[in-house]
Amino acid sequence: MRKSFLLLAFLLICIFVQLANVRADDNEKPDDDKKSPAPAPAPKQENSSDTDATNYDDLTPDPETGRQRAYCKSNGKCNKKTLTCPAECPERKPKKNKKQKGCFIHCGSKCEATCKWRRAKCNGYGSLCYDPRFVGGDGVMFYFHGSKGHDFALVSDTNLQINAHFIGSRPNGRKRDYTWIQSVSVMFDTHTLVLSAKKVQQWDDSVDVLLVKWDGQEVNVPFDGDSEWKTNTGVREVVVERTDDTNTVRVTVGGLVEIDMKAVPVTKEDDKAHNYQLPSNDAFAHFETQFKFWKLSDHVEGILGKTYRPGYVSPVKRGVAMPLMGGEDKYETPSLTSPNCKVCMFQKQAPGDRGLADF
């Protein structure tokens, strides 16, 4: 009887020890149901120290090879260094054939001269193409439908706002519009730059459809020489440069954003494949666009802008054919050049703010 009692007591002690160990383990390990989602990849934007990556003086080309050179004036390891373009892309802005890669001189932390395509990459970070499909700063692809004839904030920050004007069509029997981006406005400081694709009945690659306005006034982007229009506001330099014979430009607003834009039509093949049922008298010219940003704040807003927040986790469903990003009510603006929406941060009010005219 005594042996049985001792055995029972031993078993009870073992059970209590086991329970104590389990509780200790539970206190050390987080509850799986309460785990926070994994952080998103770091947003793809230039380091703040690289905002003067293009802070250099042009030098005469190398006398032996003819390759262009630059003398870096930025701070850091590249200060007072001379960078020479590679043999594969000897010019920063190739003129005879703008479809060649250009030489990109980076006097910031990279301190290098490399060859890059000077056009939008629709699968790259910060891209906006097709009807319309985005790739965010977190690398996640999503669609935002919006609605035809309306304007939405792509980016809204304390010192920058970028809006887009949507065109589109709604065939009989559909519940929503097919939409494309026809105009983009860039607001900063006290200025507004607008780029639009003019409405054309039939598309012709040799005909330029770009319309550029600076503070409400149309400006001409030349086709020859440096093929660029630029101005200096006293705060920053603004450049609109042609990167192909027609309909393709690179927009640079110093210290804030660089945008590659190409005006394209909705092709007959796309119309048939997606059953857009577009009218025969409108090519639905729109933009393929890619953005590169400097110095976005941690609280940046906008359809695209919020994807650049540190630790941003996209709410769209992964693995589906068309992951949708909602929020039309939050991001709609009264006009293309208005900084106002429910979540917009930019404070500048442009004088004489008006909606987009028909082009």
Side-chain angles (χ1 to χ4, degrees):
M1 185 71 179
R2 186 178 179 181
K3 290 183 179 180
S4 299
F5 177 78
L6 291 175
L7 180 60
L8 179 60
F10 178 76
L11 290 174
L12 288 173
I13 291 172
C14 291
I15 292 172
F16 282 129
V17 171
Q18 183 68 22
L19 287 173
N21 289 336
V22 170
R23 287 174 181 172
D25 290 342
D26 287 343
N27 289 331
E28 292 175 3
K29 296 178 181 178
D31 187 349
D32 288 342
D33 294 335
K34 296 180 181 178
K35 283 183 179 179
S36 58
K44 294 292 182 178
Q45 57 173 311
E46 293 289 331
N47 296 327
S48 59
S49 61
D50 286 344
T51 54
D52 64 345
T54 56
N55 184 13
Y56 55 77
D57 288 333
D58 290 324
L59 301 176
T60 57
D62 183 278
E64 295 183 2
T65 64
R67 288 185 274 167
Q68 292 184 344
R69 302 179 298 170
Y71 178 77
C72 294
K73 300 188 296 182
S74 56
N75 295 322
K77 66 180 182 180
C78 220
N79 181 251
K80 297 183 180 181
K81 286 193 175 182
T82 297
L83 299 181
T84 303
C85 291
E88 295 77 13
C89 54
E91 296 179 300
R92 292 191 301 110
K93 300 177 181 180
K95 299 180 179 66
K96 293 183 179 180
N97 181 0
K98 297 187 179 69
K99 294 179 181 178
Q100 290 180 338
K101 287 185 178 181
C103 170
F104 180 73
I105 293 175
H106 194 296
C107 284
S109 62
K110 295 181 180 178
C111 196
E112 63 182 5
T114 56
C115 299
K116 292 186 178 181
W117 289 113
R118 304 167 71 239
R119 61 191 184 204
K121 298 177 183 177
C122 287
N123 291 321
Y125 289 93
S127 61
L128 192 173
C129 299
Y130 315 130
D131 60 342
R133 192 196 74 172
F134 292 74
V135 178
D138 58 348
V140 176
M141 183 269 287
F142 63 90
Y143 288 81
F144 179 89
H145 291 313
S147 55
K148 65 177 181 179
H150 291 248
D151 306 281
F152 297 90
L154 301 180
V155 177
S156 185
D157 208 351
T158 54
N159 59 355
L160 174 70
Q161 174 124 350
I162 301 176
N163 292 349
H165 180 73
F166 286 51
I167 57 172
S169 177
R170 182 181 298 190
N172 291 332
R174 286 196 59 84
K175 296 181 180 180
R176 67 164 184 86
D177 300 327
Y178 287 117
T179 52
W180 297 268
I181 304 298
Q182 183 257 348
S183 291
V184 171
S185 68
V186 185
M187 291 170 272
F188 57 95
D189 302 332
T190 61
H191 302 284
T192 301
L193 178 68
V194 175
L195 295 98
S196 303
K198 300 176 185 177
K199 181 178 179 179
V200 291
Q201 293 187 358
Q202 301 296 327
W203 184 262
D204 184 341
D205 283 331
S206 65
V207 177
D208 191 66
V209 302
L210 293 179
L211 179 65
V212 182
K213 288 187 176 182
W214 171 250
D215 289 341
Q217 300 297 314
E218 185 175 349
V219 298
N220 177 54
V221 184
F223 291 91
D224 53 5
D226 287 337
S227 302
E228 66 182 24
W229 171 89
K230 64 181 177 181
T231 186
N232 195 310
T233 69
V235 177
R236 62 188 87 252
E237 187 175 62
V238 181
V239 182
V240 180
E241 175 208 348
R242 294 190 183 275
T243 51
D244 207 340
D245 296 329
T246 57
N247 299 315
T248 307
V249 293
R250 170 169 289 179
V251 179
T252 305
V253 180
L256 292 178
V257 64
E258 181 181 271
I259 316 171
D260 285 311
M261 306 179 69
K262 180 179 181 179
V264 296
V266 176
T267 65
K268 293 181 179 179
E269 292 76 14
D270 284 340
D271 187 10
K272 183 178 180 180
H274 299 283
N275 194 30
Y276 292 141
Q277 301 179 38
L278 298 181
S280 59
N281 63 346
D282 192 343
F284 279 81
H286 62 283
F287 284 117
E288 293 178 349
T289 308
Q290 187 177 21
F291 299 87
K292 179 192 287 186
F293 300 101
W294 288 270
K295 288 188 175 180
L296 291 177
S297 76
D298 290 349
H299 305 288
V300 60
E301 266 291 355
I303 303 164
L304 178 65
K306 66 181 179 181
T307 68
Y308 284 83
R309 294 178 186 171
Y312 173 79
V313 178
S314 178
V316 301
K317 292 182 179 180
R318 310 288 183 91
V320 298
M322 186 172 285
L324 296 178
M325 178 76 75
E328 283 85 351
D329 61 325
K330 294 193 298 183
Y331 302 119
E332 185 171 1
T333 61
S335 72
L336 178 66
T337 55
S338 170
N340 301 320
C341 73
K342 288 184 178 179
V343 296
C344 285
M345 301 173 61
F346 189 63
Q347 298 298 315
K348 173 241 180 182
Q349 295 288 334
D353 186 26
R354 294 183 297 177
L356 177 69
D358 292 328
F359 297 115

